Amino acid sequence: MISSPRRGKQLADKVYQDIKDDIFEFRLLPGDRFSENEMAQRTGASRTPVREALFRLEREGYVEVSPRNGWQVKPFDFHYFEELYDVRTVLECAAVRRLCELENLADTLQPLMALWSVPEDQRLRDISGVLNLDENFHSELVRTAGNGEMTRIHQNITERLRIIRRLDFTKRARIDATYDEHHTILETILHRRVEPAQIMLKAHIEASRNEVRKITLHMLYEARRQGSGETGDALPAPTSGS
């Protein structure tokens, strides 16, 4: 029986998500090389949906391909991520200034205030849920500022940073800090205090950036150590400045 185009797309979507999960969970490490045949065996799918999934991941910047060496998980480039964080900070600080100039500011920010002003016992603890909520906070700051092009660029950056930003919520302290800092930033914007709000936002983004860099380096180290069969303290763990 010939598969329908719809079923083919569903299979490609599943393979795409499986490979992406393996990259996000460091089961496939930055720099790992593989062929389409090897990935087909890994996912239990034929080469056609595997190829479609890989080209989708390539467009999103997670893998790369060369005619001679086949496919490779894109190596981590922390300088690249630093640049994305810099652009993100500029966009969000510009959005803060525009927000503080809005006439109906309280009404505009009310949905965000409702999400980030909840009591501690009502805060989300699920990593995926908090990540989505956090992305929504930063995206809404830019979107409600009213510049469509800024919103488009910011969304693109958010998607590129997702692979490491989700790691910021693996500790309860970071989740609580995110709730507290978001609430304070919103309160400061509501009082139309542009510069203090921008300073708080910059510090908030920088703290998140430093945390995810530290966790990413640690997870990469652990994944490589386990993959090579090392035990104990045979090698020193890398530092955040590596």
Side-chain angles (χ1 to χ4, degrees), residues 10-24:
Q10 289 176 339
L11 184 54
D13 287 345
K14 181 181 183 305
V15 173
Y16 160 84
Q17 194 59 55
D18 287 346
I19 299 173
K20 191 172 184 179
D21 287 345
D22 282 345
I23 293 172
F24 273 34

Side-chain angles (χ1 to χ4, degrees), residues 141-183:
L141 281 185
V142 178
R143 187 190 67 80
T144 54
N147 186 306
E149 191 62 17
M150 282 174 58
T151 301
R152 184 189 66 79
I153 295 171
H154 185 269
Q155 183 58 39
N156 179 269
I157 291 172
T158 297
E159 291 171 0
R160 290 173 183 270
L161 285 171
R162 188 172 294 139
I163 188 172
I164 59 174
R165 283 192 62 235
R166 83 197 196 289
L167 298 174
D168 192 21
F169 305 112
T170 55
K171 299 178 182 177
R172 176 164 182 162
R174 284 298 305 155
I175 293 176
D176 287 330
T178 297
Y179 269 94
D180 294 340
E181 290 167 13
H182 283 186
H183 173 76

Side-chain angles (χ1 to χ4, degrees), residues 123-133 169-170 175 179:
R123 293 175 175 180
L124 289 182
R125 297 298 173 188
D126 171 67
I127 293 174
S128 178
V130 177
L131 172 62
N132 291 335
L133 204 63
F169 305 112
T170 55
I175 293 176
Y179 269 94

Side-chain angles (χ1 to χ4, degrees), residues 41-137:
Q41 292 178 357
R42 183 186 184 102
T43 60
S46 65
R47 286 185 61 184
T48 297
V50 166
R51 187 180 299 112
E52 290 179 14
L54 288 173
F55 278 118
R56 182 177 171 186
L57 289 164
E58 182 189 33
R59 289 193 297 272
E60 295 178 0
Y62 296 116
V63 299
E64 54 191 10
V65 64
S66 64
R68 294 184 179 181
N69 299 317
W71 291 92
Q72 179 184 33
V73 180
K74 201 164 185 179
F76 257 100
D77 183 349
F78 281 106
H79 177 69
Y80 166 73
F81 287 122
E82 293 281 342
E83 290 183 339
L84 290 180
Y85 270 108
D86 287 344
V87 177
R88 178 188 161 203
T89 300
V90 170
L91 289 173
E92 292 188 26
C93 284
V96 165
R97 181 169 294 279
R98 292 173 66 93
L99 282 169
C100 289
E101 295 170 355
L102 294 179
E103 292 184 6
N104 57 339
L105 183 55
D107 292 338
T108 299
L109 293 185
Q110 193 280 327
L112 285 177
M113 287 295 296
L115 287 172
W116 296 102
S117 302
V118 297
E120 285 192 26
D121 61 353
Q122 295 180 26
R123 293 175 175 180
L124 289 182
R125 297 298 173 188
D126 171 67
I127 293 174
S128 178
V130 177
L131 172 62
N132 291 335
L133 204 63
D134 177 69
E135 284 191 1
N136 176 72
F137 170 81

Side-chain angles (χ1 to χ4, degrees), residues 4 39 95 214 229:
S4 67
M39 191 54 66
K214 180 174 66 176

